[in-house]
Amino acid sequence: MSQERKTPGHWSASESLESTKDTSSLVRVPARKNRAERLKELRELVTSGKMPGGHLELPPNLSEENSQPPEEHNQLWRRWSKKWQFWLAVSLMLSVGMGFVAIASLLNLTTQSNCSKMFWPTASANDRFFCAQQAASKRTADDLLLAIELVNALPQDHPLRPRINTQIDRWSEDLLRLGNVSFQEGKLEEAIAIANKVPRNVPAYPTVEKQIEKWQSIWSDAEKIYRTAEDHLRQEEWTQAFRQATLLLDLGNTFWESAKYEELTKLIQTTRAEGNKLVKARNKAAEGGLDNLVMGIKLAEGIGQNSYLYQASNKAIAEFSKKIMEIAQKRLLSGDWQQAIAIANKIPDTANLKEQVEDFNQLANATSQALTGSVEGFSNAIEMAQNLKSGRPLYRQAQDLVGRWQQEMADVKALEMASRLAAPGGVKDLRAAIAQLQTVPESNPRSQEALRQISSLSRQIELLEDSPFLQRANDLASTGDPNSLEAAVAQASRIGRGRALYGEAQTKIQAWIERRQRLVDQPFLDRAQQLAAGGNLAGAIEIARRIRSGRVLYEEAQSNIRTWEAQFEGEQGLQSARRAARAGTADALQTAIVLALQVPESSSLRWQATEAIDEWSQRILALGVEQSSSDLAGAIATLKKIPSGTRAFEQARSQIELWEESLNPPEAESPPPEPPETEPPIRSQSR
């Protein structure tokens, strides 16, 4: 027998693998038993009244007894069972039947165990079931599919179709379980391929479709979560990325819950470390300055191409490089073209500004030619800038520089022509040079230089035209007399406002005017001071007032006049006070004190007035003391005429207090009331 031939014992093992399935529709081949076991089984069947093919066939005479009552039937059965002839007949029948069954089973096993050589178009349903079971027992996708194909080939109206469909459903579930294993291992396409092997015309196919949709849905959700986490990593959102990673743990797929989750968490940790490096780069660049920007670029370049932050790092490098380019541009505009090139060359290739750096270096070299300021230099600069063709990064800037340099070159030519025209130094030459400079438009780069030269040439013209006037005025003023000074002022006044020598002329004019006024007014002031020194204050004041307002000695004259007026008023007031005091009365002395107090503080006679006031206050005090002997109230009134601030004032106030107490003594305290009299009225009358 070949290796493919299966023994009955192997068939029992196959049945044990499918113990959970409905195999009632299969034709089972009984296992071979020994003679003792078969006799025992037959005895039990006979005792129970049953046979494998149906009920026990008894002789007609026995069958008639079946209609008898059960007790009689049992007695008949016990009587027959004790006869050896009966058992001999039964034994012969069983031996013949079992031999037939055994021969049929052997023939059937031989057929069924040769499934690989089976001709399926003529195979029986039993053969298909047997071979399908054999194939399904291997538990592989192809074998399960073969099992389904073997039994599904039977007609739909076959009596065993319900059992066939049940078995197909179970094998389809086995296929789906195999597919799910692949799905859990992360092999989605393999799982779908396994599930798609289930024929579409089997009843279980809708379940297959649902399972595939479920797998695809879970896988799609997982990929979406993973992509979302990656997007968060690119945006440097670590917390959100980790939250997305945790969603993988609830998908129901071992591959995503373990391998992919671990992979994603490692990516988050790695990317976060790279993010810290990028943050350091940004912070360094934010400090400003060329060195910090270069350091920031070096830090950002440490992030590899496989990193989620590679694009962010490139963006940061580009931003830092643009700032470096701005610094280089400023250096170039300031004229330091060599340093500008050195700065621009610090921009790395990773910034994708290589062409821009090349263009900048070329423009910087062109600028170095333009900075010479010569026509040849501008011509060379223009030629170099025009080498930048359309489409280059700095093409527009080059065109702007070309236009500027062309204007400057034209301006330089005009400036050089003006210098040649002004070289002789005459007024006409200078005016011709100014006319040439005025051809430079205000919008041109060298317009300010042209204006400065125009201003300088105009000043030279004004100096040439006005210097004779100022020289003549100086000559006249050197004489020193008022008339010469007046003539010098008139000569210098011919220089108009805004002219080159106008400021100098005005300064000298003011000095000459003050000098002339001093010469004219000084005699009046000297004469007034002489009169004041001689005591003629009124005459001094009158002469000093001849110096008018706005003249150089006016303030000095007014100061002297105020001093003299105060002194004059002091003398007049002190004289009037002394005349009033001659009467010697208290009222006269009070009037004198009032007049003396009117002497100004600024007067030189103020000290005399103060002494006179103290003297007159003492005299009033003496008059009051003398009057107190006869008229105390009048004496008090007299002392009150003494003004405060004098030496006699405090004495007078003390004396007034004493006299007022004398005039108004304090009232004596009233005696306490006497107690009421307790004596009888008679005694009071006797008193």
Side-chain angles (χ1 to χ4, degrees):
M1 186 177 292
S2 65
Q3 293 180 355
E4 295 177 355
R5 184 183 179 94
K6 302 297 189 286
T7 62
H10 184 75
W11 167 252
S12 300
S14 175
E15 287 181 340
S16 64
L17 292 173
E18 300 294 334
S19 60
T20 60
K21 300 178 181 179
D22 185 6
T23 58
S24 59
S25 62
L26 297 180
V27 177
R28 296 182 179 273
V29 179
R32 186 181 296 274
K33 301 179 181 180
N34 57 32
R35 183 177 179 82
E37 291 175 344
R38 291 200 301 273
L39 290 174
K40 181 180 179 181
E41 182 179 355
L42 184 58
R43 190 179 296 112
E44 292 176 352
L45 291 173
V46 172
T47 303
S48 61
K50 297 180 180 179
M51 292 294 287
H55 62 275
L56 181 65
E57 295 290 340
L58 297 176
N61 56 349
L62 292 178
S63 60
E64 293 176 357
E65 294 178 0
N66 290 338
S67 59
Q68 298 176 1
E71 294 180 357
E72 294 179 359
H73 177 77
N74 291 336
Q75 291 176 358
L76 180 62
W77 171 252
R78 283 194 296 271
R79 186 170 61 251
W80 273 98
S81 63
K82 293 179 181 180
K83 292 181 179 183
W84 63 271
Q85 295 88 348
F86 172 79
W87 291 112
L88 179 60
V90 172
S91 180
L92 289 173
M93 292 174 62
L94 289 176
S95 297
V96 173
M98 292 299 295
F100 178 80
V101 172
I103 292 170
S105 298
L106 288 173
L107 293 174
N108 194 33
L109 282 173
T110 302
T111 303
Q112 291 179 347
S113 62
N114 230 348
C115 294
S116 62
K117 298 180 181 180
M118 185 75 65
F119 183 65
W120 297 114
T122 61
S124 65
N126 191 37
D127 291 337
R128 288 179 177 274
F129 263 95
F130 174 78
C131 292
Q133 287 284 358
Q134 289 295 310
S137 65
K138 297 178 183 179
R139 301 298 181 185
T140 65
D142 292 337
D143 291 319
L144 288 170
L145 179 62
L146 177 61
I148 294 174
E149 289 177 351
L150 287 175
V151 297
N152 196 41
L154 295 174
Q156 294 295 324
D157 57 352
H158 195 279
L160 297 179
R161 174 52 66 175
R163 296 173 182 258
I164 291 173
N165 292 341
T166 302
Q167 196 67 25
I168 289 175
D169 288 343
R170 291 180 178 177
W171 292 336
S172 299
E173 291 176 359
D174 291 340
L175 276 173
L176 291 180
R177 279 194 288 271
L178 290 176
N180 191 60
V181 171
S182 298
F183 173 70
Q184 294 297 331
E185 293 175 353
K187 304 172 184 177
L188 175 64
E189 298 300 328
E190 181 178 320
I192 294 176
I194 292 173
N196 282 331
K197 290 180 179 180
V198 177
R200 294 179 177 270
N201 59 348
V202 301
Y205 190 75
T207 304
V208 174
E209 289 182 328
K210 291 180 180 179
Q211 185 63 50
I212 292 175
E213 290 177 358
K214 182 179 180 181
W215 289 341
Q216 290 175 336
S217 176
I218 292 174
W219 200 272
S220 176
D221 292 342
E223 289 179 335
K224 183 178 180 181
I225 292 171
Y226 202 95
R227 287 194 301 270
T228 303
E230 290 178 319
D231 292 339
H232 285 307
L233 290 179
R234 295 185 183 95
Q235 299 298 325
E236 302 177 52
E237 298 169 347
W238 323 122
T239 303
Q240 291 85 334
F242 186 74
R243 288 176 181 171
Q244 288 294 318
T246 57
L247 297 179
L248 295 177
L249 300 175
D250 298 327
L251 289 174
N253 181 274
T254 305
F255 173 71
W256 285 99
E257 292 174 355
S258 56
K260 298 299 285 184
Y261 172 77
E262 183 178 355
E263 173 187 308
L264 184 55
T265 53
K266 288 181 179 179
L267 286 175
I268 293 173
Q269 294 172 357
T270 302
T271 308
R272 186 168 187 175
E274 294 170 339
N276 293 334
K277 185 183 297 184
L278 186 57
V279 169
K280 290 181 181 178
R282 289 169 178 159
N283 292 338
K284 197 66 179 176
E287 295 177 6
L290 179 62
D291 294 338
N292 291 327
L293 289 170
V294 173
M295 182 60 68
I297 289 175
K298 289 182 179 179
L299 291 172
E301 286 179 334
I303 299 175
Q305 295 182 357
N306 296 328
S307 173
Y308 289 103
L309 298 181
Y310 182 69
Q311 293 183 351
S313 66
N314 283 345
K315 182 179 179 181
I317 291 172
E319 292 176 356
F320 304 159
S321 299
K322 288 180 181 178
K323 292 181 179 180
I324 292 177
M325 183 62 73
E326 292 175 359
I327 295 175
Q329 290 279 10
K330 291 180 180 179
R331 290 293 181 90
L332 184 60
L333 292 176
S334 66
D336 192 357
W337 61 274
Q338 292 177 331
Q339 186 65 23
I341 292 176
I343 293 172
N345 288 335
K346 293 181 181 294
I347 297 175
D349 294 340
T350 53
N352 296 324
L353 297 176
K354 184 177 180 180
E355 291 186 351
Q356 188 171 351
V357 172
E358 292 175 352
D359 292 356
F360 179 82
N361 290 338
Q362 187 167 348
L363 290 181
N365 290 322
T367 302
S368 67
Q369 294 292 320
L371 290 175
T372 60
S374 63
V375 174
E376 182 181 1
F378 283 117
S379 179
N380 293 334
I382 291 171
E383 182 179 357
M384 295 176 67
Q386 286 177 339
N387 289 332
L388 295 181
K389 303 303 180 181
S390 176
R392 296 292 296 183
L394 297 185
Y395 172 76
R396 178 55 57 189
Q397 183 177 350
Q399 292 302 308
D400 293 340
L401 288 175
V402 167
R404 176 186 175 89
W405 290 337
Q406 287 175 344
Q407 292 177 348
E408 284 198 69
M409 186 167 62
D411 296 346
V412 169
K413 292 179 180 179
L415 292 172
E416 291 178 352
M417 177 62 71
S419 296
R420 289 194 295 269
L421 291 173
V427 173
K428 291 183 179 180
D429 301 325
L430 297 175
R431 292 191 185 279
I434 290 174
Q436 181 64 37
L437 292 171
Q438 288 175 341
T439 61
V440 178
E442 293 183 1
S443 59
N444 279 21
R446 293 297 181 96
S447 62
Q448 294 300 319
E449 183 178 350
L451 291 175
R452 286 194 296 269
Q453 290 198 18
I454 290 173
S455 178
S456 176
L457 295 175
S458 299
R459 178 179 176 81
Q460 293 180 37
I461 293 173
E462 291 172 358
L463 289 174
L464 291 174
E465 291 177 344
D466 295 342
S467 292
F469 299 121
L470 192 58
Q471 184 61 42
R472 177 60 179 165
N474 286 329
D475 294 341
L476 290 172
S478 62
T479 304
D481 60 277
N483 293 331
S484 298
L485 292 171
E486 186 175 1
V489 169
Q491 191 66 224
S493 297
R494 298 179 65 181
I495 300 174
R497 184 183 297 275
R499 306 280 289 183
L501 294 177
Y502 178 76
E504 182 180 354
Q506 290 298 313
T507 300
K508 291 187 174 183
I509 287 172
Q510 185 64 30
W512 293 335
I513 290 174
E514 291 180 358
R515 183 177 173 187
R516 181 177 179 279
Q517 291 176 356
R518 191 177 297 279
L519 289 174
V520 173
D521 295 340
Q522 190 64 49
F524 296 110
L525 188 57
D526 293 343
R527 178 57 181 166
Q529 290 175 346
Q530 291 175 359
L531 292 175
N536 187 1
L537 296 175
I541 292 171
E542 182 181 357
I543 293 177
R545 283 177 176 171
R546 295 180 182 180
I547 301 175
R548 299 185 303 276
S549 174
R551 298 179 70 83
V552 66
L553 294 179
Y554 176 75
E555 291 299 330
E556 184 178 355
Q558 289 298 312
S559 177
N560 288 332
I561 288 173
R562 286 192 292 272
T563 301
W564 295 334
E565 285 178 343
Q567 188 174 355
F568 182 75
E569 291 176 359
E571 289 181 355
Q572 294 296 322
L574 188 56
Q575 289 178 3
S576 298
R578 286 174 177 168
R579 285 196 297 270
R582 291 174 185 170
T585 63
D587 292 336
L589 293 172
Q590 183 183 16
T591 301
I593 290 172
V594 172
L595 293 173
L597 288 172
Q598 296 177 0
V599 176
E601 294 288 341
S602 60
S603 175
S604 60
L605 299 177
R606 178 63 186 179
W607 65 274
Q608 295 182 13
T610 301
E611 289 184 352
I613 290 171
D614 287 339
E615 179 185 352
W616 295 333
S617 297
Q618 290 291 339
R619 290 174 61 182
I620 292 174
L621 179 60
L623 290 173
V625 172
E626 182 180 353
Q627 187 180 2
S628 65
S629 60
S630 58
D631 185 4
L632 193 56
I636 292 173
T638 299
L639 294 185
K640 287 184 178 181
K641 299 179 184 296
I642 299 173
S644 60
T646 59
R647 289 178 293 176
F649 179 74
E650 293 296 331
Q651 298 179 11
R653 188 171 61 178
S654 300
Q655 192 63 52
I656 289 172
E657 290 177 356
L658 292 174
W659 289 342
E660 286 180 344
E661 288 180 359
S662 299
L663 291 175
N664 301 303
E667 296 181 359
E669 296 182 359
S670 58
E674 295 181 358
E677 296 180 357
T678 58
E679 296 180 359
I682 298 174
R683 183 178 177 181
S684 177
Q685 292 176 358
S686 63
R687 292 184 62 184

